[in-house]
Amino acid sequence: MKQLARFCFLWLALLTGNAFAHTTPITLYTGSSEPFTAYVAGPKDATKGVVLVHDWFGVSPFYTEAAEKLGNLGYRVVAVDLYGGRHATTHEQAGALLGGLHDDLAARELDAAIKFSSEGGRRAAVMGFSMGVKHALSAALRNGSVQATVLWYGETVKDPGALRHLGGPALLIVGSHDGPSAQESSLAFSKAADAAGVGAEVYVYPGADHAFAQPLFNQGKTYDPVATGVAWELTESFLSRRLH
């Protein structure tokens, strides 16, 4: 019986591994010919693509797993590395990397990633986590080819005039314990999107803290797997409805 159980486990592991969409590093170039690294996943002939922007830890297991997850759903994923190969495992390291990040270079890299993702008429979305939310939203505002924007717990825009430049709707997911004004800020974003006529879906998960999906944040003390699962369900539904 033990041998049979071991065989079934190995067979299941192999089956799962073969079905999973692994990431592959590639080199892309900005409009100014600056090279940068991104990780791609999913079928090359996909009709829908997602550009990912990491949180302040950089390319972490959570980030590559997010790319693999979306790739396994059939999206062509381009996960950009804004830190040039560096990454963090502690708040101190992450803060240092964030302090050295140049917003103008990050913008050029994301613009290039969106252009790459949109090649061949592929419908494109951008998705950012925490620190990456600001950059993802800014990229969506600059690039009319972006048809959907997904934002997980980060800095947003409350100006209807600015949000009118979005080429499609947005999804914002935050935890109710994400700072004293998380719910008020989310409501302000929703109202601004309504005023801009672009529409936004906003979900505030009760009891969840900032970066509830990132095990590295706060040494895992505020990691919430249930909230993370719900956030992914919301994201999958949003992308399937909006990228068509």
Side-chain angles (χ1 to χ4, degrees), residues 33-56:
S33 300
E34 300 153 305
F36 65 98
T37 300
Y39 296 83
V40 295
K44 293 182 179 180
D45 60 351
T47 60
K48 304 173 185 178
V50 182
V51 174
L52 293 184
V53 193
H54 56 70
D55 58 23
W56 71 334

Side-chain angles (χ1 to χ4, degrees), residues 51-239:
V51 174
L52 293 184
V53 193
H54 56 70
D55 58 23
W56 71 334
F57 290 100
V59 179
S60 66
F62 163 75
Y63 189 54
T64 54
E65 287 167 10
E68 292 169 351
K69 183 179 184 68
L70 290 169
N72 211 39
L73 290 173
Y75 297 99
R76 184 60 170 171
V77 184
V78 182
V80 178
D81 178 7
L82 298 179
Y83 286 162
R86 297 168 295 172
H87 63 277
T89 57
T90 68
H91 284 212
E92 291 75 18
Q93 294 171 349
L97 289 176
L98 179 59
L101 181 63
H102 297 285
D103 289 352
D104 55 344
L105 176 58
R108 291 194 296 273
E109 292 175 348
L110 289 176
D111 289 349
I114 290 171
K115 182 179 180 181
F116 176 79
S117 180
S118 302
E119 288 180 350
R122 183 183 292 127
R123 295 182 293 279
V126 293
M127 179 176 181
F129 306 96
S130 190
M131 176 275 289
V133 161
K134 178 183 75 171
H135 297 283
L137 183 54
S138 295
L141 292 171
R142 288 192 307 272
N143 293 271
S145 60
V146 174
Q147 298 180 22
T149 306
V150 181
L151 312 169
W152 283 28
Y153 43 72
E155 180 182 344
T156 58
V157 174
K158 283 58 170 202
D159 177 16
L163 291 179
R164 288 192 181 93
H165 295 287
L166 281 179
L171 169 67
L172 172 64
I173 305 173
V174 300
S176 64
H177 291 177
D178 189 352
S181 61
Q183 298 185 53
E184 292 82 358
S185 179
S186 300
L187 179 59
F189 175 75
S190 178
K191 289 182 176 179
D194 285 344
V198 297
E201 300 179 25
V202 177
Y203 189 88
V204 180
Y205 194 90
D209 211 318
H210 180 72
F212 56 77
Q214 173 59 275
L216 292 174
F217 185 75
N218 201 20
Q219 298 179 324
K221 296 174 183 177
T222 50
Y223 172 64
D224 190 331
V226 177
T228 301
V230 171
W232 273 118
E233 290 180 9
L234 292 168
T235 298
E236 292 172 25
S237 172
F238 175 81
L239 290 174

